[in-house]
C-alpha cells in the first residue's frame, strides 16, 4: 500500500505542538507531509513549506483553499492535522470533513459540545475518521491498565484519584511566556483555562482506562494567582455511573509539578497506579498489598498493549512515542478505509466521542462552579 | 530532678496502642510506669501490672479509684496516659483532671466538641497540662516543614493536598479483624468511622504544619464496601481562612496503602512534600523546580526540629520515635510545671485545642454530608 | 520468669552507641540496667549511674571489679553490654566470660581474629552466650531475605553486589568531629579504618542473608582524602565457596550517602534488593522481571521474620528496633539458659563465629592490599 | 542548505538497531535515507528499499558497490550508517572512507584497536567525519553532568561507581533469542561478549562525563551461566590518571535489570547520580548532603546541554531522542564541512577516538583476566 499523505493546518515556525505532531508521524514513517497552511500569511507558509520539503503549489493561503484543492487532487492528502488555536478547530475541521478528508485534531476539540456533535454528524454521515489527539492515551501503560481492568484484575472500581498539576503558571508576573498569556486571557480562551487544558486530559485518561462514565460532578474552580481571571486550580468531586467516586484535581501553580498527570485507581480486589512523568511503569497491587511494577516490554503486558512498543524494555520511550501510537492506529484505520476492510473495532485512538465527552465535562463543571459548587449531572 | 512517674488507663494484654505508648515513653526513659488500670477486671490488671513491674497496690480496680488514690500519694503519678476506647475518654480524663493530674489522651479526644471544651475549661482552671497524642506531629520532618513555612520558604500557601488512605478494610468479609469490626459498628463508633480515625489526623497534620485555620468544608463521606454502615471513604473540599484551599482524602479500602498519610503543600514561592511511610525526608521545591530532599540529621534542619533526633542521619527513626517526641516535650513541660518555671511557649505537642479542632472538623463534615455535600462553616 | 538484669561497660555521657543499646533494650523492656562502668573515673560513672537509676554500689571503678562483684551477687547481672573502643573489647569480654557472665559486645569484636577465637574457646567451654551486635542483621527485612533465599526463591546465587558508603568523612578538614579523628588515627584504630567500621558490616550482612562463605578476596584499600593515613575507600572483589562472586564496596567520602548499606543479590531464578535507609522493604524480582515490593507486616513475610515486628505495616520501625531485635533473641536465649532448656537453634543473633569471620575478612583484605591487590584465600 | 542524504548498510527487516537509527534520524528530519544495502541478497535489499521509499537504482548488491557508486553521483549520500555485525564494521567503514564519504558506525567500532586506528588515519587524512554511536552520551543528562563537572560543582573526582547490568541472558536455556545466541558464540563474537556489548558503554559514559583517562585496569571476567563460553559478568577495578579510582560492573544475568546503565560519581565537593532507565534526571548532591534533582528543561541546565531538548520538562524524551541528539550534532558538522566552516570544537558526538579507547579498554581487560586478575596499564 502506498504511503499515506497528510496536510497540516497550523504548526508554523516555533510552534511546539505542530512540530511534535510532525515528529510523531515521522517516527514511524506513518505518513508523509504533503501540504500545509502553516501560518496566517502565505509567504510564511511558503517558507515553512520549503523547509519541510513540500511542493510550493501545496502551500496554501488558507485552510479552505487547501481543503478544496487537496480534495480534488488525485494524489491529495489522506488526512489533515489541525494544530491551530482551539477556537478555530471547528471551522477548519468542518471544511476538511466536507471535503471528504479524514481529520486529526488537537484537544479540546471545539469551544462547546454542540459544535463537536455537529462535527460528529458530518463525519459519521460521510464515513470519515476523526482522531482527537489526547496524547496520553497512546502510552503502552495506559493500554496495559485498560486491559488489566477489563480482565478484572482489580475487581469493581471504587474510587479514582486523578490529577494533573503543573507549576509553570505559578508566578503572578507570568512565568508562562506567550502561551501563558494566551491561556489566561478570557478573550482568547473563553470561560476556562486550566480545566480546558488539563482537566479534559484527566477526564479522558480516566474514561479511557477505566471505561467509567461520569454521572455528575461538583466542581470548585478557583482563580488563585493574583491578577488572573480564569481558573488555575480545579478540585472536582466526581460520581460515576455504577457508584464509583473520584476526585479530579488540576492546577497550574503547583511548583515542582512539570506535567504530573497521575492516576490512582482503587478497586475491590486491587489497585493500579500510573504517573505520566515515568510513563513506562504501571504498578499493580493485589490483595496481598505487594506492589508489582510492570514495565513496557515485559511478558506480563498483553499483546494489544505490547504491540505499540518499539524498543526493548529499559530503553525509554516517551511522549512522542505516545503521540506516534495514536497515529499508528489512525494510519492503520485509514489504510483499512482505503482498502475497504475497515471495522470500528480497529479504532484504538480517541475519537469525536471522547472529544465531545470532554466538552460536556467542562460545561458541567462550569455550571457547578457558577452555582456555588453543587452537583450537576452530565 | 526526680524521674517522672505515670499511670495508664487501658493498654491491657494485646492492646497495640497501649503498648506503643509504653514503648515510646521507655525509649527516652522519660517516665516510669507506676500505676495502672489495664483491664476491666482487677485480676487482669494485677497480672498485667506484675508483668510490667508495678507494685500490686497501684494496680487499681477502676480509673476513679486510681485518680483518687494516686492524687493522695506523696509519690503519686505525675501524669496519666489514657488509651481506652474513644467514647470513654471524656469521663476518665475528667476524673484525673479533677484529681489534679496531668493527662495524655489518645485521639479523637471525645465523642463531641462540647465535651472536649469542658475538659479544656477544667484543665485551664487548674493549670494542668493535657496532651492529645496525634502521633504524626512528633516527627522531626513535621517540625521541619512547620519551620520552613514560618520562615516563608514557600511563600503564601495556595492549596494543600492532604490524604491518608489505608487499605486494611477493603474486604467486605472484613479484613480488619476485631479492630475493624469495632470501628465499623455504629453502636461502638458513633456516627463516624474513617473520618474520625484518619480524617482527624489529616486535619491536625495540616493545621500543625501550616498554621492554617479551616473556614468551611464540603464533605462527601461515602459508605462503599458492601455491608458497611459507616463512612469508609471521605473526600472533602476545604477552604482555609485567608483564601487557601485544599482537599482532604481518607479511605480504608485503598489496597496497597498501609498508613499513607501524605502532605503536599503548594505556596506562591515553593512546595513541600512529605509521606509518613518514609517519614524522615521532606522535599522542598523552590521556584527553580528542583526537588531538594532534606533529611533528619542534616545541617539544613533548624535546631527546634533537629533537637528531636536521636541517631545520625541514615539510621532510620520511625513511628515510636515520633510518639516519643511528643512525650519528650510533654515531660519537659511537666518538669517545668513542677519546678515552677513553665511557660506556654514550651509546649511542642498537640493540646486540647487541637483535640477540639479535630472534633469540630468531624462535626462540620458530618453536617455537610448529611445536607447533600454543601459548604458548612466551622 | 524474673526480668533480666544487665550491666554496661562504656556508654558514658554523650556516647551515642551506649545510649542506643540502652534505648534498644528499653524498647521491649527486655532487661533492666543494674550495674555499670560508664566512664574512666568512678566519679563520672556514679553521676551517670544516678541519672540512669542504678544503685550507687553497682557503679564500679572498672570492669574487673564489676565482673567480680556482679558474679558474686545473688541478683547479679545476667549479661554485660560492652560498648567501649574496639581495642579494649577483648580484655573486657574475657573478664566477664571468666566471671561466668553472658556478653553482648559491639563490632568489630577484637583487633585480631586470634583473640576473638580465644574468646570463643572460653565462652564455649563455659557454655556462655556471646552476641556481637551487627545491628543490621536484626531487621525483619534481613530475616525475610534469608528466608526467601533458603526457600530457593532466587535459585542459586550468582553474584552479590554489596556496598556501604558513607559521606561524613569526605572533608580533609575533618567533617567527622571527635569520632572522625579517632577512626582516622592509626594509633587508636590500628591498621584499618573504613573496612573495620563498614566493611565488616557488609561481610556480615551478606553472610547472614545468603549463607555464603568467602573463599578468597582481592582488595583495593585506598587512602584518598588528603592528609588521611588509613583506608577510606575499599573496593573488594570476592569469590565465595561454590562459585558465586561479588563486589564489596565501602567508603567514607561518598557525599550524599548517610548510612547506605545496600544489598543486591542476583540468583539463577531471581533477585533480591534491600537498602538500609529504607529498611522495611525487600524487593523480590522473579524471572518475569516484575519487582515485587514486600514490606514488614505483610502476609508474605514468613513467621520467623514477621515475629520481630511490633507495629502494623506503614508505621515505620527503624534502626533501634533492629538493634532491639538482636536483644530480643539474645534475651530469650539467656532466659532459656536459665530455665535449662536452651538449644543452639534458638540463636537468631550474630555470635562469636560471625565476629571471627569479620576479623578474618579484614585480615585477608589487608594482606591482599599490601601485596598489591592479589587474591588471598580465607 | 539542502537536506542531507544518507545511506545505510545493514538494518534489514526485523533488525532492531537499524530501524532505531532510521527513526532517530527521522525524528529531527536530520537527513533523508537515499541509498542502502540492507541485506545479503539484492532481492531483499530491493524489497526493503521499496518499503523505505528508496529509488531502486540506489539499492545496491553490496557495500563496495554502494560506496563506489554513491561517491560518483552528484547527489550522492553525505554519510553512511553502518549497522552490521561488529566484525564487519572495519571493512565497510574503510570502503566508505576511501570513497570520501562520512561514516556513522555502531559500537564496538571494530574487533581490535589496531584496525580502529587504521580507520582513524584514513579519516584524518581525508578530513572525513566519523561518529561511533555510543547512544547514551546523547542524553541531555549526560551533557548536563559533563558541564557540572567541568564547572567544578563536585570538585576533584575521587571514585566512580559505574555499572551496566542486564538480565536478558540469565537463563541457561537462552532467554536471549537469536541475538543472545550470536553474542554468546565465540565464532561470531570473538573473545568477548558482555564486556564488548555493555562494558564499552560504561567506559565511554564515564570518559565522556568525567573526562577521566584510564591508567590501568584489573579485570575479573566471569563465565557464569551454565553452558556459556564467553564472559557474562565483568567486575573491573579501574585506576584513572590523576588518582581517581572506580569499579565498572557489567552483567547479562542480573534478573530485574533491563538496561541499567548507572553512574555514581563522587568528588571532593559533591556527588552526581544518573540512571539510564530514568534518563532525564540528574541528582546533584553538594556538601550539605541534600539531593538536588535537576531535570531536562529546567533553568539549571546550561544551554550547551539544554539545546538538545525538544519538549517541555515533564514530557518524557527517551532513548531515540538520545540517539537523535548524536545525529543532530553529526549532521551539523557535516553541514559545516560542506559550507567550509567546520571546526573541531563543533563536535558533540563520540568519534573514532572514543571508539579506539573502548577497544583498548576491552583488550586490557582481557589481558588482565587471562593473567589471573592483575593490573594492566592502558
Amino acid at each position: 500500500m502506498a504511503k499515506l499523505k497528510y496536510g497540516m493546518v497550523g504548526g508554523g515556525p516555533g510552534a511546539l505542538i505542530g512540530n511534535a505532531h510532525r515528529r510523531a508521524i515521522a517516527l514511524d514513517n506513518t505518513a508523509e507531509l504533503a501540504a500545509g497552511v502553516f501560518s496566517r500569511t502565505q509567504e510564511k507558509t511558503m517558507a515553512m513549506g520549503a523547509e519541510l520539503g513540500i511542493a510550493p503549489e501545496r502551500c496554501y493561503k488558507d485552510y479552505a483553499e487547501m481543503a478544496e484543492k487537496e480534495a480534488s487532487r488525485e494524489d491529495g492528502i489522506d488526512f489533515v492535522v489541525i494544530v491551530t488555536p482551539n477556537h478555530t478547530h471547528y471551522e477548519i475541521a468542518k471544511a476538511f470533513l466536507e471535503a471528504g478528508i479524514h481529520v486529526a485534531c488537537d484537544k479540546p476539540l471545539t469551544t462547546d459540545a454542540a459544535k463537536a456533535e455537529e462535527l460528529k454528524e458530518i463525519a459519521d454521515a460521510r464515513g470519515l475518521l476523526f482522531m482527537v489527539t489526547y496524547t496520553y492515551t497512546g502510552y503502552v501503560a495506559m493500554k496495559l491498565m485498560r486491559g488489566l481492568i477489563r480482565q478484572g484484575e482489580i475487581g469493581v472500581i471504587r474510587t479514582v484519584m486523578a490529577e494533573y498539576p503543573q507549576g509553570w503558571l505559578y508566578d503572578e508576573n507570568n512565568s508562562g511566556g506567550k502561551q501563558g498569556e494566551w491561556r489566561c486571557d478570557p478573550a482568547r480562551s473563553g470561560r476556562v483555562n486550566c480545566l480546558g487544558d488539563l482537566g479534559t486530559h484527566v477526564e479522558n485518561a480516566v474514561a479511557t482506562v477505566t471505561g467509567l462514565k461520569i454521572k455528575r460532578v461538583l466542581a470548585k474552580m478557583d482563580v488563585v494567582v493574583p491578577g488572573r481571571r480564569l481558573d488555575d486550580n480545579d478540585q472536582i468531586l466526581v460520581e460515576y455511573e455504577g457508584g464509583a467516586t473520584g476526585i479530579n484535581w488540576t492546577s497550574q501553580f503547583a511548583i515542582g509539578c512539570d506535567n504530573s498527570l497521575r492516576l490512582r485507581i482503587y478497586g475491590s480486589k486491587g489497585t493500579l497506579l500510573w504517573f505520566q512523568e515515568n510513563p513506562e511503569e504501571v504498578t499493580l497491587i493485589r490483595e496481598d498489598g505487594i506492589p508489582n511494577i510492570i514495565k513496557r516490554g515485559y511478558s506480563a503486558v498483553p499483546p494489544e498493549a505490547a504491540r505499540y512498543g518499539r524498543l526493548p524494555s529499559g530503553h525509554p520511550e516517551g511522549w512522542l512515542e505516545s503521540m506516534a501510537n495514536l497515529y499508528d492506529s489512525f494510519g492503520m484505520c485509514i489504510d483499512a478505509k482505503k482498502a475497504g476492510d475497515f471495522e470500528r473495532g480497529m479504532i484504538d485512538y480517541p475519537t469525536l466521542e471522547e472529544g465531545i465527552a470532554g466538552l460536556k465535562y467542562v460545561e458541567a463543571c462550569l455550571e457547578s462552579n457558577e452555582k456555588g459548587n453543587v452537583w450537576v449531572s452530565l
Side-chain angles (χ1 to χ4, degrees), chain A:
Chain A
M1 181 159 294
K3 193 172 169 182
L4 294 175
K5 287 187 182 59
Y6 76 102
M8 181 170 274
V9 184
L16 181 77
I17 196 70
N19 200 0
H21 282 252
R22 288 193 297 265
R23 286 180 194 279
I25 294 170
L27 193 66
D28 292 327
N29 203 18
T30 302
E32 184 185 341
L33 182 58
V37 179
F38 302 107
S39 200
R40 294 199 199 158
T41 72
Q42 192 157 12
E43 198 186 355
K44 282 187 188 169
T45 286
M46 293 291 288
M48 186 80 191
E51 200 183 306
L52 293 166
I54 300 176
E57 73 273 15
R58 295 176 84 172
C59 295
Y60 298 98
K61 78 166 191 294
D62 58 32
Y63 70 85
E65 187 195 39
M66 176 167 154
E68 189 200 322
K69 296 220 171 140
E70 287 293 323
S72 65
R73 286 181 78 106
E74 202 153 313
D75 66 346
I77 56 173
D78 295 290
F79 66 95
V80 68
V81 174
I82 304 174
V83 287
T84 55
N86 303 336
H87 67 277
T88 65
H89 290 172
Y90 164 74
E91 285 191 11
I92 302 171
K94 196 174 161 190
F96 282 90
L97 288 176
E98 289 178 341
I101 293 171
H102 304 296
V103 176
C105 181
D106 235 20
K107 49 63 55 185
L109 180 51
T110 60
T111 51
D112 60 69
K115 282 193 183 121
E117 282 174 333
E118 200 187 322
L119 293 179
K120 186 164 188 312
E121 273 169 41
I122 306 173
D124 286 353
R126 307 198 173 217
L128 291 168
L129 299 172
F130 198 115
M131 173 164 80
V132 184
T133 50
Y134 285 108
T135 319
Y136 303 110
T137 59
Y139 280 120
V140 171
M142 297 286 269
K143 298 174 194 295
L144 167 58
M145 285 190 286
R146 184 182 61 185
L148 291 170
I149 287 171
R150 283 185 188 162
Q151 285 166 35
E153 281 284 354
I154 65 167
V156 177
I157 294 174
R158 288 172 170 175
T159 202
V160 181
M161 302 298 291
E163 64 188 36
Y164 189 171
Q166 294 183 334
W168 66 302
L169 289 174
Y170 79 94
D171 185 5
E172 56 196 272
N173 304 312
N174 199 343
S175 49
K178 267 196 171 173
Q179 200 190 147
E181 252 174 68
W182 163 80
R183 290 203 177 276
C184 298
D185 177 8
R188 284 176 282 178
S189 279
R191 298 155 68 204
V192 70
N193 161 28
C194 180
L195 191 73
D197 188 25
L198 309 182
T200 50
H201 274 301
V202 172
E203 179 274 331
N204 180 253
V206 174
T208 303
V209 167
T210 66
L212 292 173
K213 303 275 175 218
I214 295 178
K215 191 176 146 199
R216 56 178 196 160
V217 294
L218 187 160
K220 186 166 195 308
M221 298 172 65
D222 291 320
V223 183
V224 175
V225 175
R228 209 145 284 170
R229 287 178 292 164
L230 291 173
D231 66 304
D232 51 12
N233 196 59
D234 307 298
Q235 297 168 323
I236 295 163
L237 303 181
V238 183
E239 277 186 13
Y240 296 95
E241 285 175 17
T245 65
I247 293 178
N248 291 352
W249 171 50
T250 51
S251 183
Q252 287 168 329
F253 60 66
I255 292 175
C257 294
D258 291 333
N259 200 36
S260 304
L261 175 60
R262 186 188 296 272
L263 300 181
R264 298 182 290 172
I265 304 166
Y266 300 95
S268 60
K269 290 170 57 184
T271 290
L272 281 173
L273 309 173
W274 178 76
F275 183 41
Q276 191 277 142
E277 297 187 25
N278 189 14
E280 304 216 281
E281 287 184 12
V282 166
T283 300
L284 167 65
I285 311 176
R286 297 200 188 85
E287 296 177 69
D288 61 6
I290 299 176
N292 283 251
I293 302 171
I294 308 174
K295 299 175 198 167
R296 181 183 57 73
Y298 282 20
S299 57
V301 180
E304 68 273 16
R307 76 173 183 85
Y308 287 102
R310 287 159 193 79
L311 298 169
S313 58
H315 297 73
E317 297 191 3
W319 191 93
L320 284 172
E321 281 89 346
S322 175
M323 175 72 93
N325 291 343
L326 300 187
Y327 279 107
D328 178 337
S329 175
F330 189 55
M332 280 175 60
C333 289
I334 293 175
D335 277 339
K337 278 272 178 191
K338 291 172 82 170
D341 55 10
F342 171 78
E343 289 170 44
R344 263 203 79 73
M346 288 175 179
I347 293 180
D348 193 17
Y349 57 80
T351 67
L352 280 167
E353 244 168 86
E354 282 81 3
I356 293 166
L359 293 165
K360 288 189 171 167
Y361 171 71
V362 170
E363 288 170 8
C365 287
L366 279 166
E367 184 186 339
S368 168
N369 191 56
E370 277 154 19
K371 290 185 174 165
N373 321 121
V374 299
W375 286 106
V376 170
S377 294
L378 262 83

